[in-house]
Structures are given as C-alpha cells and as structure tokens.
Amino acid sequence: MSYVHLSIALIFVILPIILSKTLNLGLERDTMIAVVRSIVQLLAVGYILKFVFDSENMIYILLMVTVMIAAATQNAQKKGVSIQGITWKVTVTLVVIEVLTQSILLGFKITPPTAQYIIPISGMVIGNSMVLAILFLNRFTAEVETHQDVTELILSLGGTPKQAIHTQLITAIKSSMIPTIESQKTIGLVQLPGMMSGQIIAGADPMQAVQFQLLILFLLLTTASVTSAMLGYLSYPSLFNHRMQLLRGK
Amino acid sequence: MITDYKPAVNFNHINYSVDGIHILKNITESFPEGKITTLVGPSGAGKTTLLKLCNGLLSPDSGEIYIKGKSISSYEPVELRQLVGITLQSAPMINGSVLKNLALPLELQGRELIEKDAKNLLHDVGLEEEFLHRPIKDLSGGQRQKVSIARTLVNRPQILLLDEITSSLDRISQQEIEELIVKINQKYKTTIIWITHNLQQAMTVGNYTWVMMKGEVIETGTSDLLHSPVNEKVRHFLKGEVK
Ligand SMILES: Nc1ncnc2c1ncn2[C@@H]1O[C@H](COP(=O)(O)OP(=O)(O)OP(=O)(O)O)[C@@H](O)[C@H]1O
Ligand SMILES: [Mg+2]
C-alpha cells in the first residue's frame, strides 16, 4: 500500500462527515479531530519505532515503555480522583504488570529481547491494563458510594476496613475482569483479533499469527487479574483513616 | 447538667462540623451509667451524629469524649465498637438471610452464631423462629428494624445506642421493644441511649432525657422535664410534637 492509496482511503472519513451533516448529528468536528490526531500520532509512533528498531538500544526501549506507562496512568487516574494517591497506585500497578509479563516472556525465552517484540507486546499489555484499571475504578467507586451504609454497618459492629469493604472490592475486581474472559470465549468466531489480522495481512503464516495471538490472550488474562486485584488492594485502605472511619469523598 | 450519677459517656466541649457546617456545638454533658437516657429533638438537631461519635464511627473536631472514664482515643476502634453497640437509623442489612445478618457481628471476629442463640434473639425482639432462614429482602421495614436490634445485641455491648428503632413499628411491636430494652437495661445493667421522636416513649421508658436543637443540647435532666421544661424553645418544640 502506498501513501497515494492511503489518501484515497480518506473517502472512509468523508462519508461519516457527510452523514453527520445531513442527519444533524453534530459529529463533524469530533470526527475531524479524531482523524487528524490519529494521523499525527500514528505517524509519529511509526517514525519513533523505526528509529528505536534501527538503533537496537535498550535505553530507547525503556524510554518508550516509560512513556506508555505515564500516558496510561494519566488516563486511568482520572477515574479514581476520589482515592488518595491514585496516580502512584496506578503507576505501581502498571510497572508491576510490565515487569512481571516481560520477565516471564524474556526469562523463558518465549520472545526474543528485541524492540520488535518488547514494544508491541508492552503496548498491548499496558493498554489492556489501563482499560482494566478504568473499569475497576469506575465500578469500585460506584460500589463504595452505593453501599456506604453497609460499610458503616460493618465498621459499627467492630469489623475492620478490609471486612467492611470486602464485598464491594470483590464485586469490582470480578466485574472488571469479566469482559476480558468473556471476549476470549468467542474470539475468532465473530471477528479476528486485530493483531492477528494485521500479521496475516502483512503476509505472515496464519498458524504463526494464531500462536502469537494465543500468547497475547494468555498475557491479557494475567494482566486483567493482576491489575484489578493489585489496584483494589492498593486503593481500599485510603478510603479509611487510622481510626477505622470511612472518609467521605468530598 | 446530669451530675448525680457516674457517667458512662462524658462529652467535654465537643465540636463537630462537616464542610464548614457546624453540626455539634460545644457539647458538655454526660450519659449516666446503667440508665436509659433518651435523646429528643427536631430533625437535623445532630442526634445521630452524636451517637456516631460515641461508637467511634466519627471523631470530633475538638473536645474530648470519655467512655467509662477513659478517653475514647485510648480504645482500639474494634474494642470500642464492641463495647459501644449502635443500631443505625436506616437499619442497613447485608444480602442474604436473617441468620446471616444476625451472625455478622461474630463472623467479623471469625466466630459462629449457634442457631439456638439466633432463635433466642429473634424471640427477644418478637420475631417468629421461621424468619431465621428468610431472605432479608423479603422483610418489611418494621421486621428489619427488629433484626437490626437483635444484631446489635449479639456483641453484648455495655453501652447500647439506639437510633429511632421503633419508628416503623406498630403499637404492639413498639411496646414489645420498649419492654425488651428495659429488660436488657435491668438484667445486664446496660447503659442505653435512645433517640426517639415518640415523647410518650421517652417519658415512660427513659430515666433521663436530653433535648437537642440545631447542634446544641438545650436541656437535660430526668424524664420529668418533658412534662415541664424550663426552656422556652423546648416548651415550643414539645408542644409541636405532642400535637
Ligand atoms: N456527612 C454529612 N455531610 C453533610 N451534612 C451532614 C452529614 N452528616 C450530617 N449532616 C448534617 O448534620 C445535621 C445533623 O444531622 P443528624 O443526622 O445528626 O440529625 P438528627 O438529629 O439525627 O436528625 P433526624 O431526627 O432527622 O435523624 C443535619 O443538618 C445534617 O444534614
Ligand atoms: Mg438521626
């Protein structure tokens, strides 16, 4: 595919804009912003990746992973502003996930220690972890809010903060993991996963592509469970003070 | 001021506010040990807030609370909350059966509630045994209040805080609960603090009473004061309540 072909593909952008205008959806502006941003961001990433791949320098790989974690943290922490210290809690979680998954992959020589493998896999792991963090924080803050009276009840009867928040914590961890597990059950039946499609289009052997996709799916299961559980156990204590009182979100 | 008895709970210049709103204003009073003290006053007076301070669910901004002569902050929170039991105004319940709710206080300590004890508790609050295995969501408001009282009694608190526990009960049930509270008070010498909007109840059941308004304790004394209050505002409030 050449840049000329890609330019022609902008037809796919013009159509929704025309539709938005005729139907008065008011989405023209957002569509344009989305298109421009995706072009700029992806081209930039493309050039950076090319540079990092060519240099084969570990420092650049580390730098890219750091940027990914910082961006993901920035995005996820917005959903947990009511939790004290949420920024570093999300950061620690993402770092642990990244270190954990890469140590296993590199340690057992499942993937080679090159930028070509480390960066895309880190991207998928960190991106997924970010989504999980958002799902978890959304649900957890809602659960805490809705069941404040039960939390107070358990505290009043001599329960610890951990006991008082246990049900809400488990509900939030579980519900944030469900989409990951459910989507894996139907994978390949409804649609081919993005990474696998990409590899096949780029000319890879389908069986090779499937193997890689499976690896990613296994990784994402770990990512999902570790993210939710870890963030959960890091977050709940800051809802209480040292006198085991529930702090009210202001 | 109530001075002729040893205090179970003693407030010394207690202030409490939320978001700059002064909810309790400089409260200095005490609840006598082994007695029933009722807490009356209009909605929003700060009665519930005061009880939550005694049980350690909240802490004052300034001032000191003494429980059985010891500063409240010298108690471990768990120890304090087992010593000072509270029946919350909204009677919150955990999902599951009546038994699960009754067993909760012991479960939190890693212990189990024997079914026989659970049945006795139900009997004490005037519920039939067969309620034990009913899902809590099938109970009426009044039945929940009864379960809520029974659940607070499981820890055998020495100081018992009751927040409008008879508000959704019929007359007969109200009387049963009144008798139960008096019985607990006499049998175990439990100190009881009882928030109620029912002045008749306050007069017949309570030994002492506090009248609270807008975060202040306006008048305290034996329950007789409800017949002939000194304070003009109290007289006005009581007239409105009786009517
Ligand atoms: N967490 C809170 N945030 C803001 N305001 C609060 C909070 N808790 C209590 N208040 C306010 O403090 C005042 C006293 O409340 P409290 O519940 O103690 O009153 P009460 O005497 O128990 O009233 P009622 O008879 O209606 O139960 C009320 O004006 C209430 O709105
Ligand atoms: Mg109240």
Side-chain angles (χ1 to χ4, degrees), chain A residues 185-240:
Chain A
K185 284 191 194 159
T186 56
I187 202 148
L189 296 179
V190 184
Q191 62 173 114
L192 293 181
M195 192 196 77
M196 203 170 105
S197 312
Q199 275 189 301
I200 292 173
I201 290 169
D205 166 30
M207 282 324 285
Q208 184 73 25
V210 165
Q211 276 187 15
F212 253 97
Q213 188 62 50
L214 283 175
L215 171 69
I216 298 298
L217 293 184
F218 299 160
L219 271 180
L220 295 191
L221 281 179
T222 286
T223 309
S225 54
V226 176
T227 302
S228 295
M230 197 171 150
L231 198 53
Y233 282 91
L234 284 178
S235 299
Y236 88 80
S238 58
L239 300 173
F240 302 88

Side-chain angles (χ1 to χ4, degrees), chain A residues 11-218:
Chain A
I11 295 172
F12 293 121
V13 175
I14 295 165
L15 262 170
I17 291 176
I18 294 172
L19 212 58
S20 172
K21 265 229 153 67
T22 43
L23 294 182
N24 259 331
L25 301 178
L27 291 174
E28 303 94 284
R29 217 181 105 85
D30 280 328
T31 311
M32 283 308 293
I33 292 174
V35 169
V36 173
R37 276 191 64 162
S38 54
I39 292 173
V40 173
Q41 284 166 205
L42 284 182
L43 282 180
V45 168
Y47 281 114
I48 293 171
L49 282 179
K50 203 166 153 42
F51 171 74
V52 174
F53 285 8
D54 289 345
S55 74
E56 275 297 341
N57 189 334
M58 259 302 165
I59 297 289
Y60 291 125
I61 299 180
L62 218 62
L63 204 68
M64 271 208 81
V65 171
T66 309
V67 170
M68 285 176 189
I69 290 179
T73 301
Q74 183 49 33
N75 225 337
Q77 58 86 22
K78 286 183 227 153
K79 299 294 171 188
V81 280
S82 60
I83 297 165
Q84 220 189 3
I86 189 63
T87 306
W88 76 259
K89 284 169 186 172
V90 173
T91 310
V92 168
T93 306
L94 292 177
V95 170
V96 167
I97 297 279
E98 171 66 7
V99 170
L100 177 76
T101 50
Q102 288 299 335
S103 335
I104 294 172
L105 289 175
L106 300 180
F108 288 105
K109 298 196 166 36
I110 300 171
T111 55
T114 57
Q116 191 198 339
Y117 285 91
I118 296 177
I119 290 176
I121 291 177
S122 298
M124 275 185 270
V125 165
I126 294 168
N128 200 257
S129 190
M130 176 189 80
V131 172
L132 257 292
I134 290 172
L135 286 177
F136 170 79
L137 290 172
N138 260 341
R139 185 63 188 263
F140 187 54
T141 44
E143 285 288 315
V144 168
E145 178 87 18
T146 331
H147 298 293
Q148 230 183 53
D149 57 341
V150 174
T151 307
E152 192 170 51
L153 166 76
I154 294 175
L155 290 176
S156 81
L157 291 170
T160 61
K162 192 175 170 186
Q163 289 172 322
I165 209 77
H166 183 258
T167 312
Q168 294 92 307
L169 190 60
I170 296 304
T171 308
I173 292 177
K174 224 169 120 176
S175 79
S176 64
M177 285 176 60
I178 285 173
T180 305
I181 298 170
E182 285 304 312
S183 71
Q184 297 203 2
K185 284 191 194 159
T186 56
I187 202 148
L189 296 179
V190 184
Q191 62 173 114
L192 293 181
M195 192 196 77
M196 203 170 105
S197 312
Q199 275 189 301
I200 292 173
I201 290 169
D205 166 30
M207 282 324 285
Q208 184 73 25
V210 165
Q211 276 187 15
F212 253 97
Q213 188 62 50
L214 283 175
L215 171 69
I216 298 298
L217 293 184
F218 299 160

Side-chain angles (χ1 to χ4, degrees), chain A residues 248, chain B residues 18 23 42-49 89 164 197:
Chain A
R248 276 145 229 272
Chain B
V18 178
I23 295 173
S43 232
K47 306 182 294 293
T48 298
T49 309
Q89 188 164 9
E164 296 194 29
H197 277 284

Side-chain angles (χ1 to χ4, degrees), chain B residues 112-152:
Chain B
E112 259 179 73
L113 180 70
I114 309 165
E115 190 149 322
K116 191 170 134 278
D117 291 346
K119 283 180 179 162
N120 283 338
L121 281 164
L122 283 188
H123 179 257
D124 283 347
V125 293
L127 282 175
E128 320 281 330
E129 276 183 16
E130 62 253 31
F131 274 93
L132 206 55
H133 297 287
R134 289 243 188 114
I136 208 82
K137 61 176 165 45
D138 294 351
L139 266 60
S140 73
Q143 289 162 342
R144 277 165 180 246
Q145 270 188 338
K146 289 179 175 177
V147 173
S148 173
I149 298 165
R151 187 176 54 193
T152 308

